[in-house]
């Protein structure tokens, strides 16, 4: 991309009459990055709080004419730098496009704009007796557009799947073969089944804004759950033993709605901050949620508690107190912001086969000791998705360098265990090197070919995901 001049900014403003174009440096600094504190961020030339798909289309067309990169963003809750500005870009803020356009209760479908907050959608469809299952820990703040961009998972994805499993179709503003930049295309369908052509909808989900700007999403819904889930809690004196309990549950075919792990550091940080009345008294807790109705659910919860005890839990119980259960899962959601209060946090997002969870937890402990880095761990343990959180003292450059070295070693460990460098946070900027190690050269070549074909100007979120690959 060419350097941006003030004249180009004036031309961009003229091309977007009535648009809320932002050039204030302080506001741009806030809009120019997500929550990935360790990822680099450039200086945008302007930002636009878009109000409609038409405004997005006009902005993309103008940026293509001026060769101004376009970086879409939602709530900015990402943890990989995927929404970070590049120098001279237009940050396209979609958070104001927050309408639930339609809820089709008969066909269990919702149509929403990208700025709709995940939890707000859940509340809206619940009024119709329906449920939208994907629930990242950031669900009270993250938007559907951002969830689509990263193919977000969450606490319930073990049983109910991730965002991609619920996206039936979407509208996107694109360029390239579909027409001039600024062209709107409708991808996918509203039907339960459909195999007409390549799955372009699935291609856009998880593409992190590198192929176009999503302006509307058609989502599959499920009937609301009838009964309150049962909660099973196990306390372990050894985090690796907790991992063995996860592997044992998997080997016996148990699939709870959620199976989460929190270590002592996470629980203590949350308790110090929010005073929820949680005193773990153990090195790790496993939290399972069982939503199978009736006696079968009782049997499943009892079997999980028995597995926890057999794997070495100091105690394992079914919670009969919904307030206590809610507090435990609230602690899981609050773990990341609670740890952020202690110092800069570098967040991992590796995923390994479920049978390899104990080995990955052991490797994490060993890597932390060897590098002298404090690592707290939370995990969607039931599906092998671990989030080691590397915490450093503020202003300690040596500790920061050690954390970055440990971060890269954790990526290598996940690959060694036949896992992946990102389960749900996306590649963004932080995981580009890890992805290059994970994917064979031929596969990376195919991905670059897709990007070139659909975005020949490299206009959309340049440098992210597959960008800066030394082999291309």
């Amino acid at each position: 991309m060419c350097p941006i001049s003030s004249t180009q900014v004036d031309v961009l403003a003229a091309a977007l009459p009535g648009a809320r174009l932002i050039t204030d440096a302080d506001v741009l600094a806030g809009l120019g990055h997500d929550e990935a504190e360790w990822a680099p961020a450039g200086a945008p030339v302007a930002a636009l709080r878009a109000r409609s798909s038409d405004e997005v289309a006009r902005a993309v067309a103008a940026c293509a004419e001026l060769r101004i990169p376009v970086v879409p963003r939602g709530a900015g809750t990402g943890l990989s730098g995927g929404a970070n500005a590049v120098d001279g870009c237009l940050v396209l803020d979609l958070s104001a496009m927050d309408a639930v356009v339609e809820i089709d209760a008969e066909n269990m479908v919702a149509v929403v704009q990208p700025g709709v907050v995940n939890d707000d959608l859940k509340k809206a469809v619940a009024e119709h007796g329906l449920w939208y299952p994907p629930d990242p820990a950031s669900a009270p703040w993250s938007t559907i557009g951002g969830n689509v961009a990263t193919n977000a998972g969450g606490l319930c994805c073990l049983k109910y799947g991730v965002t991609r499993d619920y996206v039936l179709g979407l509208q996107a503003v694109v360029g390239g073969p579909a027409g001039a930049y600024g062209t709107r295309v409708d991808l996918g369908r509203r039907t339960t089944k459909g195999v007409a052509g390549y799955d372009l909808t699935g291609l856009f989900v998880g593409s992190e804004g590198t192929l176009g700007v999503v302006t509307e999403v058609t989502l599959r819904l499920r009937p609301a759950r009838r009964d309150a889930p049962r909660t099973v809690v196990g306390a372990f004196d050894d985090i690796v033993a907790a991992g063995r309990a996860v592997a044992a549950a998997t080997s016996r075919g148990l699939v709870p709605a959620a199976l989460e792990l929190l270590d002592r550091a996470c629980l203590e940080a949350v308790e110090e901050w929010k005073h929820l009345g949680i005193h773990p008294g153990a090195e790790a807790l496993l939290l399972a949620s069982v939503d199978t109705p009736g006696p079968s659910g009782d049997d499943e919860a009892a079997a999980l508690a028995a597995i926890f005890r057999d794997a070495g839990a100091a105690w394992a119980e079914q919670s009969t107190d919904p307030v206590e259960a809610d507090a435990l899962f609230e602690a899981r959601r609050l773990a990341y912001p609670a740890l952020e209060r202690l110092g800069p946090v570098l967040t991992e997002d590796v995923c390994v086969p479920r049978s390899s969870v104990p080995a990955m937890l052991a490797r994490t402990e060993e890597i932390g000791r060897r590098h002298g880095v404090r690592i707290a761990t939370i995990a969607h343990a039931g599906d092998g998705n671990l989030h080691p959180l590397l915490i450093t003292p503020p202003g300690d450059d040596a500790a920061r360098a050690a954390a970055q070295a440990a971060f890269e070693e954790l990526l290598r460990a996940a690959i060694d265990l036949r896992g992946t460098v990102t389960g749900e946070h996306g590649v963004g900027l932080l995981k580009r090197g890890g992805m290059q190690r994970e994917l064979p050269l031929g596969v990376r070549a195919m991905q670059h070919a897709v990007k070139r074909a659909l975005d020949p100007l490299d206009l959309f979120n340049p440098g992210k995901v597959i960008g800066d690959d030394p082999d291309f």
Side-chain angles (χ1 to χ4, degrees), residues 290-444:
V290 176
D291 65 355
T292 304
S296 296
D298 296 333
D299 293 343
E300 186 177 342
L304 275 170
I307 287 172
F308 291 177
R309 288 189 287 268
D310 291 345
W315 56 264
E317 301 293 343
Q318 298 181 52
S319 175
T320 57
D321 183 350
V323 175
E324 179 185 51
D326 288 346
L328 288 167
F329 278 97
E330 182 68 6
R332 166 62 184 88
R333 293 185 183 279
L334 292 172
Y336 180 79
L339 289 164
E340 273 191 315
R341 297 171 67 249
L342 306 179
V345 177
L346 181 56
T347 306
E348 271 288 11
D349 171 40
V350 295
C351 192
V352 298
R354 286 174 283 187
S355 61
S356 297
V357 167
M360 189 65 212
L361 289 169
R363 294 279 288 270
T364 299
E365 287 193 320
E366 188 274 330
I367 289 169
R369 283 194 301 269
R370 183 154 38 79
H371 288 276
V373 175
R374 180 183 180 187
I375 301 180
T377 298
I378 54 178
H380 306 306
D383 56 17
N385 190 187
L386 278 61
H387 298 315
L389 306 172
L390 294 76
I391 307 161
T392 60
D396 189 333
D397 291 340
R400 191 177 181 93
Q404 289 171 320
F407 179 90
E408 295 298 330
E409 194 165 338
L410 287 166
L411 298 182
R412 289 191 289 272
I415 295 170
D416 290 345
L417 292 170
R418 303 180 72 178
T420 179
V421 299
T422 176
E424 59 183 0
H425 292 171
V427 174
L429 294 170
L430 289 179
K431 298 293 183 75
R432 288 181 306 180
M435 191 189 79
Q436 290 159 15
R437 291 192 293 272
E438 177 183 333
L439 300 182
L441 182 61
V443 173
R444 285 150 52 200

Side-chain angles (χ1 to χ4, degrees), residues 16 27 50 71 115 139 160 163 207 215 232-233 360 442:
L16 300 168
V27 178
V71 176
Y160 292 104
T163 299
S207 65
T215 54
V232 183
V233 185
M360 189 65 212

Side-chain angles (χ1 to χ4, degrees), residues 117-126 130-135 139:
V117 171
N118 185 296
D119 269 2
D120 291 346
L121 173 62
K122 283 180 166 57
K123 293 172 186 173
V125 302
L130 298 170
W131 178 40
Y132 177 66
D135 61 338

Side-chain angles (χ1 to χ4, degrees), residues 123-360:
K123 293 172 186 173
V125 302
E127 295 178 2
H128 298 264
L130 298 170
W131 178 40
Y132 177 66
D135 61 338
S138 60
W141 315 283
S142 64
T143 61
I144 295 299
N147 294 170
V148 169
T150 60
N151 190 25
L155 278 64
C156 286
C157 60
L158 168 61
K159 185 173 184 178
Y160 292 104
V162 296
T163 299
R164 179 176 283 119
D165 299 307
Y166 294 87
V167 179
L168 291 170
L170 55 83
Q171 181 187 87
V173 175
V174 298
Y181 276 84
T183 298
R184 277 175 282 186
V185 294
D186 292 304
L187 306 176
R189 62 194 191 282
R190 289 178 67 110
T191 55
T192 302
K193 298 168 66 177
V195 291
Y198 297 130
D199 182 10
L200 296 180
T201 303
L203 179 62
F204 267 72
V205 178
S207 65
E208 302 185 44
T210 61
L211 302 179
V213 182
V214 173
T215 54
E216 193 173 89
V217 189
T218 301
L219 297 166
R220 183 198 317 270
L221 304 173
R222 294 179 64 96
R225 294 184 285 189
R226 293 182 300 169
D227 302 323
R230 302 155 183 81
T231 299
V232 183
V233 185
F236 295 81
D237 293 327
D238 176 6
I239 194 171
V240 178
R244 287 195 292 269
V246 172
T250 297
S251 68
R252 297 185 197 181
L254 294 178
V255 186
L259 182 51
E260 299 291 304
L261 180 148
L262 298 91
D263 73 1
R264 179 190 287 272
C266 295
L267 289 164
E268 289 179 344
V270 171
E271 181 60 24
E272 181 183 338
W273 181 29
K274 291 295 185 179
H275 307 294
L276 299 178
I278 298 170
H279 303 286
E283 289 304 310
L285 288 186
L286 283 181
L287 309 178
S289 178
V290 176
D291 65 355
T292 304
S296 296
D298 296 333
D299 293 343
E300 186 177 342
L304 275 170
I307 287 172
F308 291 177
R309 288 189 287 268
D310 291 345
W315 56 264
E317 301 293 343
Q318 298 181 52
S319 175
T320 57
D321 183 350
V323 175
E324 179 185 51
D326 288 346
L328 288 167
F329 278 97
E330 182 68 6
R332 166 62 184 88
R333 293 185 183 279
L334 292 172
Y336 180 79
L339 289 164
E340 273 191 315
R341 297 171 67 249
L342 306 179
V345 177
L346 181 56
T347 306
E348 271 288 11
D349 171 40
V350 295
C351 192
V352 298
R354 286 174 283 187
S355 61
S356 297
V357 167
M360 189 65 212

Side-chain angles (χ1 to χ4, degrees), residues 53-95:
S53 59
D54 180 66
E55 192 168 42
V56 171
R58 290 190 293 115
V60 168
C63 286
E65 182 70 23
L66 296 168
R67 299 299 191 268
I68 296 175
V70 175
V71 176
R73 69 167 275 136
T77 61
L79 294 169
S80 67
N84 283 15
V86 298
D87 286 338
C89 75
L90 174 72
V91 172
L92 195 51
D93 181 357
L94 303 169
S95 61

